[in-house]
Amino acid sequence: MTDNIIQIDHLYKSYGSVRAVQDISFCVKRGELFAFLGINGAGKSTTIHILCGQLAQDSGTVLIDGKDIAHDRKEILRTLGVVFQNSVLDAALTVRDNLKSRAALYGLSGKAFQARLDELKETLDFADLLDRPLVRLSGGQRRRIDIARALLSRPHILILDEPTTGLDPQTRKMLWGVVSRLRKEEGMTVFLTTHYMEEAADADYVVLIDAGKIVAKGTPLELKNSYAGDYVTLYHADEEKVRALGVPYERIRDALRLSLRNTEEATQLILSHPDLFRDYEITKGKLDDVFLAVTGKRLEERT
């Protein structure tokens, strides 16, 4: 059994003259949290739709747990749980009926369905919502049911497409607590797209896509070391002396923030000027900085 639960090689997909996905290759290891980042129109949704068997690629291969999506679609779909950016639940039905109809597609009914429903309503805290129609739920409540729907079949891979967009902090925290527990207890693999960099920062591996092409990939630490540099925030310092250092800096509230190429450069600067660096902190650049450095865009750009 290979360590890679998803393997994509030389994937292409076009819509007429629009090249949505251009020769992308990457793999996802079993049990990891994998982040796939890009602005809207970058090729993320096209890739996910191909992974889910909703769209056929023009060329290239997609293997999920060793099976080819082009030939073993039905078998593969049983191993996937998907939380789409836009809910696919029936707003007119109750929570119970929505989940019951979905479970039937997996052959889950009767006592087996009830047992799974009991597990999920406790895990996601929606016992009091079962007999409410979806149309009467808040955005956060509806998201819980989207996730329950995706987890009904105990999938090996959970695909989360912008799962927390528009959610309140409490619901976001609850969602990630559930995901973390499922990864730990069941070894679930999570494939994530998100605009929230603090979520992507916790990923085991990150792939950045822009205009249909992969432009960078690696662990969050590797990406930050390669593209973001370090910051030294210096408190109670003489700005004239900081200016004389000849490094870029900016004033932030009651401090000065210096931009350095890497930790080594920051360390050498501090050791060379101990009288100046008395009250300071070093922080690495964030994935936002990486994305901007690699693509020239901010991830929040959604057009």
Side-chain angles (χ1 to χ4, degrees):
M1 182 182 292
T2 176
D3 286 340
N4 297 333
I5 195 167
I6 298 175
Q7 186 164 335
I8 293 180
D9 291 303
H10 304 293
L11 189 65
Y12 285 86
K13 181 64 182 179
S14 296
Y15 303 97
S17 60
V18 178
R19 297 178 178 179
V21 172
Q22 304 181 60
D23 193 24
I24 69 171
S25 300
F26 63 83
C27 58
V28 180
K29 295 189 180 301
R30 294 179 189 279
E32 78 177 356
L33 172 57
F34 176 95
F36 194 49
L37 307 180
I39 63 171
N40 286 352
K44 304 190 309 297
S45 293
T46 295
T47 304
I48 287 176
H49 288 152
I50 293 172
L51 276 174
C52 297
Q54 296 180 322
L55 195 62
Q57 67 265 41
D58 295 337
S59 61
T61 58
V62 176
L63 301 181
I64 298 179
D65 211 2
K67 300 177 180 66
D68 193 325
I69 191 67
H71 306 298
D72 303 300
R73 178 176 174 274
K74 287 186 178 180
E75 190 174 353
I76 287 172
L77 291 184
R78 290 184 174 275
T79 71
L80 299 180
V82 187
V83 178
F84 292 103
Q85 188 170 352
N86 297 312
S87 178
V88 294
L89 297 166
D90 189 327
L93 295 181
T94 64
V95 168
R96 189 189 308 273
D97 287 342
N98 262 287
L99 296 178
K100 189 174 183 178
S101 62
R102 179 65 182 181
L105 298 178
Y106 297 105
L108 197 62
S109 61
K111 292 183 179 179
F113 165 67
Q114 188 60 50
R116 185 58 174 152
L117 180 62
D118 288 344
E119 290 176 349
L120 291 172
K121 73 183 183 184
E122 294 304 318
T123 299
L124 292 161
D125 190 24
F126 63 84
D128 59 334
L129 305 177
L130 282 170
D131 296 314
R132 291 194 202 176
L134 262 292
V135 71
R136 293 185 182 176
L137 301 188
S138 68
Q141 291 171 334
R142 186 175 298 199
R143 210 54 169 158
R144 295 185 200 181
I145 313 308
D146 285 324
I147 296 164
R149 168 194 164 278
L151 295 175
L152 277 168
S153 64
R154 300 184 188 276
H156 300 160
I157 303 168
L158 181 62
I159 297 176
L160 300 174
D161 188 11
E162 303 288 349
T164 60
T165 299
L167 296 187
D168 60 274
Q170 182 179 356
T171 303
R172 286 175 64 189
K173 183 178 180 180
M174 180 277 300
L175 186 157
W176 281 110
V178 170
V179 169
S180 178
R181 188 160 70 251
L182 289 170
R183 291 183 62 215
K184 187 178 299 182
E185 295 176 358
E186 301 183 15
M188 181 180 288
T189 303
V190 178
F191 186 108
L192 169 73
T193 75
T194 182
H195 281 93
Y196 294 110
M197 286 295 92
E198 67 270 24
E199 295 177 348
D202 292 330
D204 298 297
Y205 200 80
V206 178
V207 167
L208 305 184
I209 184 170
D210 188 46
K213 298 179 181 179
I214 291 176
V215 291
K217 54 186 174 181
T219 67
L221 179 60
E222 288 170 344
L223 291 173
K224 286 186 282 188
N225 281 342
S226 297
Y227 299 103
D230 283 21
Y231 296 105
V232 177
T233 304
L234 188 56
Y235 301 96
H236 313 297
D238 184 327
E239 188 168 354
E240 288 299 319
K241 292 182 178 179
V242 171
R243 187 179 295 115
L245 295 174
V247 300
Y249 75 91
E250 61 179 326
R251 176 169 288 282
I252 52 170
R253 297 179 184 172
D254 59 345
L256 301 172
R257 188 171 71 171
L258 287 65
S259 300
L260 290 308
R261 288 192 297 271
N262 49 47
T263 304
E264 182 181 358
E265 183 182 29
T267 302
Q268 290 177 352
L269 189 68
I270 293 166
L271 292 175
S272 299
H273 302 83
D275 58 323
L276 184 57
F277 291 87
R278 294 180 179 276
D279 188 4
Y280 67 90
E281 56 187 351
I282 302 177
T283 55
K284 285 195 171 295
K286 298 182 179 180
L287 283 179
D288 307 69
D289 303 311
V290 172
F291 196 84
L292 181 60
V294 172
T295 69
K297 305 166 188 174
R298 294 193 179 277
L299 197 57
E300 290 75 14
E301 294 176 17
R302 301 184 180 215
T303 57

